[in-house]
Amino acid sequence: ALRITCIGGGPGGLYSALLLAKDHRAARITVHERGRPNDTFGWGVVFSDETLGVFEEADPESFASITEAFAYWTDIEIHKGGECVRSTGHGFCGLARRRLLAILQERCRAVGVELRFEDEVTSLEELEDSDLIIAADGINSFVRERHAEHFQPSVDWRHCRFAWLGTTRPLETFTFIFKENEHGLFQVHAYPFQRGEEPLSTWIVECTEQTWKRAGLDRASEEETVAYCEELFREELEGHPLLTNRSIWRAFPTVRCERWTHGNIVLVGDAAHSAHFSIGSGTKLAMEDAIALRDAFRAHEQVAEALEVYDQARKIDVLKLQRAAQVSLEWFENAERYMEQTPLQFSFNLLTRSKRITYDNLALRDPELVERARREWISAEGADPDRVRAPMFAPLQLAGARIPNRVAVSPMCQYSAVEGTVGDWHLMHLGARAVGGAGLVLAEMTNVSAEGRITPGCAGLYDDAHVVAWRRVTDFCHAHSQAVLGVQLGHAGRKASCSRPWEGDAPLEGAESWTAIAPSAEPFAPTWPIPRAMEREDMERVIGEYEQATRRALAAGFDLVELHMAHGYLLSSFLSPAANHRTDAYGGDRTGRMRFPLEVFEAVRAVWPAEKPLAVRVSATDWLGERGTTIEDTLELARALEARGCDLIDVSSAGNTPESKPNYGRMYQVPFAEHIRHAVGLRVMAVGAILGWDHVNTILAAGRADLCALARPHLVDPHLTLRAAIAYEQGGVSWPAPYRAARPAGLE
């Protein structure tokens, strides 16, 4: 029979023991808990409707007890600036943590699990006779630290401070409160977990570390914390007191582990991972770990095989949730940024913060709220909400150009030009997307010189013959669509002289290759050729090439120029300390690294008509900390560009070094665009895994960006915007005459 030892008697440990005991009746399962049966930190736990369904399947008996005791609600209230916005259709339940522990303890005893309280395990050697050791020993897991070399944990201590309080005020909903005083912004995450004659609610107070210190709460006792918060939230508490339960101020630790198993040891719950309380509970995660562990043992009888399956299968789900939780956590860390928004837009922003709820999803849950948010946003953008059916269809005035909607086709290199001259492929590629309804169509990175090409197949504007070829494309797009046509001017820098992606995507060799230039004589990757470090005469020549390419862009019929200062190409590499190691005036500190890119911008602005928009694509961060470009660097660059006449910042990230490790995911670069928009005030275009019109509307309505650029979705569906017009019943969209048979009646 299996001998199973569980270290930790919280919900994760108890549920693991319970589920394994049900499947392995002959197993000897012991839970060691250092505290007493009723000892617990915090007040209530919260589960979603989806989570409850999983619990019902796993153990109907404990599920029945949970549902008998829980408080259920479907609404979320957001209080800001004296107003309350209420959203419905969500579905949560709250339960006293002590009650949950009692339910699980009772169920464990019923299936033969031995529970040992006030029994702390301090050495794994005393458990040598165990076939399986479940480490459910929490955020400060001694098991994880004992084998840290193998588990490879990381703990990211976050910037806000929070105190986990309770209150006797009976709540009806999940309640968020945002309140400012002389010390700063305080936010409350509150929800009911016990109803009836003795109602109780969780009341978590959170603020930035600066606000916490200004208020003197860094020196406050529990009693002083309660006094301060009761006074601050006197109106919201409606005369009810706040209650404490080891309610000290804490910083939230995001725990991650590279591995969750080691030999016969498995980590569950906070020992393996944590996710911020704004998106779910550690209790939910730990209990779902227990279900995954049970499933792994159902699939494999051998401990080693079962643990391998658990590690691989469960980790993917947790990583997805941790990614969403990180975005949510950072939203609350930066909530001060959004206080200028109206209560309605602020609420939409909050509800969609983690990307798990989007515009269309929220419209299914709460159509009335989304309709109000739509009308408010469209009116604020100067459009008619009776005519514009979704945010993506609101026009945007950018300098002298009227962009008919907020969907952009991102620049996508086609590597199909001949000596820089574009041809039929480019006419088809860009023409199809313009005809497909996108408001802004950006041509691929088009190089200002032959040596500035990434590959021999890259497009150019360094010869008058290129103008003629491009004019064929722009004339077609202008004749058959309302799209604004832009071109991205760039120079590949040290990433030049490579083969096409489908021909190896590697540096060229021999007669086909050419010498790349860069701020420093350092290759992009160790096996790449060393570029030539630029001298001042090189810079003057390149500035002249940008000027001439800009004049040609005007002659070619483009409406907008975007300068490529991202992705590790020439101007980007000057900006990044990961690529620029110069010691002269064009390197060193932020000012020095910006100098040459700003000289290029000034030269282009001088020859590009003021009524035509001039945009810049930036890599907001290299994802390398201080070793690379940071968001603070990019904010300063954005301010400098605005002062010089930039109309739009197109916000991407990474590309300067293969060492960058972006945290990929849906809309993963949008927070950088949002940061620039709020901090600088410039119009911004978001890009990066924006997967369709639902994402576009979510980003716009929340005030995160002004335009959204989509690349891969437009490769799959050139007519994405026309299909969205059908989905939202949007009239007034330009349909080419040969395609109007597909336009539904009434959408003229």
Side-chain angles (χ1 to χ4, degrees):
L2 278 173
R3 291 164 296 179
I4 301 173
T5 300
C6 182
I7 304 172
L14 292 170
Y15 209 46
S16 297
L18 164 61
L19 298 184
L20 290 173
K22 288 176 61 177
D23 279 10
H24 301 269
R25 294 292 184 179
R28 290 164 45 199
I29 304 178
T30 305
V31 176
H32 299 263
E33 167 55 45
R34 66 181 180 179
R36 296 170 297 181
N38 289 328
D39 284 351
T40 182
F41 159 67
W43 290 91
V45 297
V46 63
F47 301 124
S48 66
D49 279 344
E50 294 84 356
T51 301
L52 288 176
V54 174
F55 291 169
E56 182 176 19
E57 180 278 330
D59 184 53
E61 293 85 353
S62 60
F63 170 79
S65 298
I66 289 170
T67 54
E68 287 174 6
F70 69 29
Y72 184 80
W73 67 94
T74 60
D75 291 3
I76 296 173
E77 284 189 355
I78 298 120
H79 297 257
K80 173 187 178 288
E83 294 188 36
C84 174
V85 175
R86 188 163 181 150
S87 177
T88 193
H90 300 282
F92 299 98
C93 81
L95 181 69
R97 185 175 172 86
R98 284 188 176 135
R99 179 63 184 136
L100 176 62
L101 289 173
I103 290 169
L104 296 180
Q105 289 165 11
E106 181 181 346
R107 283 290 294 137
C108 280
R109 292 189 182 98
V111 296
V113 174
E114 182 183 357
L115 303 180
R116 297 182 183 178
F117 293 99
E118 298 182 79
D119 181 13
E120 184 170 6
V121 176
T122 58
S123 171
L124 294 178
E125 283 69 23
E126 63 188 85
L127 305 177
E128 288 180 350
D129 63 341
S130 298
D131 298 303
L132 173 65
I133 299 172
I134 301 172
D137 53 339
I139 209 90
N140 298 311
S141 169
F142 99 87
V143 178
R144 184 186 68 221
E145 295 309 310
R146 169 73 181 275
H147 294 288
E149 283 190 13
H150 181 82
F151 292 125
Q152 296 184 39
S154 66
V155 181
D156 177 19
W157 290 95
R158 299 306 303 179
H159 312 307
C160 279
R161 296 285 176 162
F162 68 95
W164 204 296
L165 300 160
T167 179
T168 59
R169 187 200 154 179
L171 294 172
E172 297 179 353
T173 68
F174 214 127
T175 303
F176 294 103
I177 301 168
F178 296 83
K179 196 163 190 178
E180 294 177 287
N181 67 4
E182 68 274 18
H183 300 131
L185 175 65
F186 290 85
Q187 45 211 23
V188 169
H189 310 245
Y191 54 86
F193 65 84
Q194 182 172 297
R195 288 182 171 153
E197 295 182 1
E198 297 181 0
L200 290 171
S201 303
T202 292
W203 192 276
I204 305 169
V205 181
E206 185 180 27
C207 61
T208 65
E209 186 161 356
Q210 295 83 356
T211 297
W212 176 64
K213 288 181 176 178
R214 282 195 295 266
L217 295 168
D218 55 328
R219 304 180 300 276
S221 64
E222 276 189 304
E223 293 75 17
E224 290 168 332
T225 289
V226 165
Y228 184 94
C229 293
E230 283 183 343
E231 178 60 29
L232 177 60
F233 299 108
R234 178 188 297 274
E235 181 180 349
E236 293 79 8
L237 286 167
E238 298 180 351
H240 288 270
L242 290 174
L243 310 172
T244 62
N245 179 8
R246 289 185 284 171
S247 302
I248 61 172
W249 288 93
R250 307 165 188 264
F252 186 84
T254 300
V255 175
R256 300 180 179 87
C257 290
E258 288 297 314
R259 300 183 184 90
W260 293 1
T261 65
H262 178 45
N264 66 338
I265 302 172
V266 59
L267 304 179
V268 301
D270 286 348
H273 49 69
S274 64
H276 193 248
F277 50 80
S278 63
I279 200 171
S281 68
T283 300
K284 159 196 152 65
L285 274 176
M287 292 175 69
E288 290 175 344
D289 286 351
I291 295 170
L293 186 61
R294 185 275 315 268
D295 291 345
F297 272 92
R298 283 183 174 178
H300 297 277
E301 292 184 2
Q302 299 300 316
V303 170
E305 294 176 354
L307 294 188
E308 183 179 354
V309 168
Y310 167 78
D311 187 285
Q312 293 177 358
R314 178 66 179 146
K315 187 178 292 182
I316 294 171
D317 290 337
V318 171
L319 286 174
K320 289 178 181 177
L321 192 137
Q322 281 192 307
R323 188 176 291 127
Q326 185 72 11
V327 175
S328 177
L329 175 156
E330 291 174 2
W331 191 95
F332 282 98
E333 286 181 340
N334 295 294
E336 293 172 348
R337 180 186 300 166
Y338 314 116
M339 294 304 288
E340 64 187 28
Q341 294 184 331
T342 68
L344 184 56
Q345 185 179 42
F346 181 90
S347 298
F348 181 92
N349 191 350
L350 185 152
L351 291 168
T352 61
R353 68 193 180 279
S354 72
K355 310 171 194 173
R356 300 173 82 197
I357 294 177
T358 59
Y359 184 93
D360 286 349
N361 177 267
L362 188 57
L364 291 174
R365 298 171 185 239
D366 192 345
E368 189 272 338
L369 183 141
V370 171
E371 173 63 7
R372 289 170 54 210
R374 179 192 72 82
R375 296 188 68 86
E376 181 186 81
W377 186 88
I378 290 169
S379 297
E381 290 294 311
D384 181 356
D386 291 326
R387 297 175 62 85
V388 177
R389 300 298 308 147
M392 64 181 289
F393 293 109
L396 175 66
Q397 191 69 35
L398 202 62
R402 183 184 183 275
I403 301 174
N405 60 62
R406 305 301 179 100
V407 179
V409 175
S410 199
M412 293 175 277
C413 287
Q414 300 297 292
Y415 307 106
S416 300
V418 178
E419 298 298 330
T421 302
V422 299
D424 288 350
W425 180 265
H426 303 83
L427 175 64
M428 180 281 302
H429 170 68
L430 294 170
R433 276 107 199 128
V435 165
L440 173 63
V441 176
L442 287 165
E444 64 194 84
M445 174 171 152
T446 299
N447 299 282
V448 299
S449 67
E451 76 170 0
R453 294 173 297 165
I454 309 166
T455 77
C458 287
L461 268 171
Y462 50 87
D463 189 284
D464 289 342
H466 300 158
V467 174
V468 176
W470 275 120
R471 189 83 205 195
R472 180 169 172 246
V473 175
T474 60
D475 283 350
F476 176 89
C477 293
H478 285 138
H480 298 287
S481 79
Q482 293 181 353
V484 169
L485 272 294
V487 63
Q488 186 184 66
L489 297 181
H491 188 298
R494 66 177 184 170
K495 297 175 84 171
S497 188
C498 289
S499 60
R500 297 171 179 85
W502 53 87
E503 295 173 345
D505 198 18
L508 294 169
E509 297 178 355
E512 285 188 318
S513 67
W514 62 90
T515 301
I517 59 173
S520 304
E522 298 176 20
F524 172 69
T527 59
W528 285 45
I530 297 174
R532 179 172 59 82
M534 293 175 68
E535 302 291 344
R536 180 58 203 171
E537 53 265 34
D538 295 309
M539 296 182 193
E540 292 173 355
R541 172 173 51 79
V542 170
I543 290 171
E545 290 167 348
Y546 269 97
E547 287 178 331
Q548 191 60 31
T550 303
R551 292 189 179 95
R552 290 191 172 107
L554 184 63
F558 286 104
D559 309 303
L560 175 150
V561 161
E562 175 175 276
L563 294 185
H564 204 336
M565 294 190 187
H567 299 170
Y569 300 122
L570 184 63
L571 301 183
S572 176
S573 62
F574 265 90
L575 292 167
S576 172
N580 183 348
H581 298 119
R582 299 177 72 99
T583 56
D584 63 2
Y586 293 92
D589 62 12
R590 183 184 294 157
T591 300
R593 299 195 311 273
M594 291 195 309
R595 194 180 308 278
F596 177 60
L598 290 177
E599 288 179 352
V600 171
F601 179 89
E602 290 170 348
V604 169
R605 182 74 276 183
V607 298
W608 185 246
E611 69 274 11
K612 289 183 177 285
L614 181 56
V616 175
R617 173 167 279 200
V618 298
S619 279
T621 174
D622 282 332
W623 302 85
L624 292 172
E626 296 300 320
R627 294 190 298 122
T629 299
T630 65
I631 185 62
E632 289 75 21
D633 293 331
T634 304
L635 291 174
E636 285 305 306
L637 175 65
R639 293 184 181 104
L641 290 169
E642 181 188 37
R644 289 163 173 79
C646 181
D647 299 295
L648 177 73
I649 299 288
D650 179 3
V651 188
S652 187
S653 70
N656 274 298
T657 166
E659 295 178 27
S660 296
K661 295 291 185 289
N663 188 12
Y664 294 111
R666 294 180 300 164
M667 301 177 271
Y668 73 103
Q669 294 176 149
V670 172
F672 303 128
E674 177 183 50
H675 195 164
I676 294 168
R677 187 175 191 271
H678 285 278
V680 181
L682 259 176
R683 294 283 194 178
V684 301
M685 181 158 63
V687 65
I690 300 171
L691 301 181
W693 57 70
D694 182 24
H695 286 182
V696 172
N697 287 319
T698 304
I699 292 164
L700 295 171
R704 297 180 183 127
D706 302 284
L707 281 161
C708 291
L710 291 76
R712 289 177 177 85
H714 273 121
L715 292 180
V716 174
D717 184 0
H719 306 104
L720 182 149
T721 305
L722 293 184
R723 290 209 304 117
I726 296 173
Y728 291 109
E729 300 181 347
Q730 177 65 56
V733 175
S734 174
W735 288 71
Y739 286 6
R740 288 175 189 164
R743 183 178 63 190
L747 299 189
E748 293 80 6

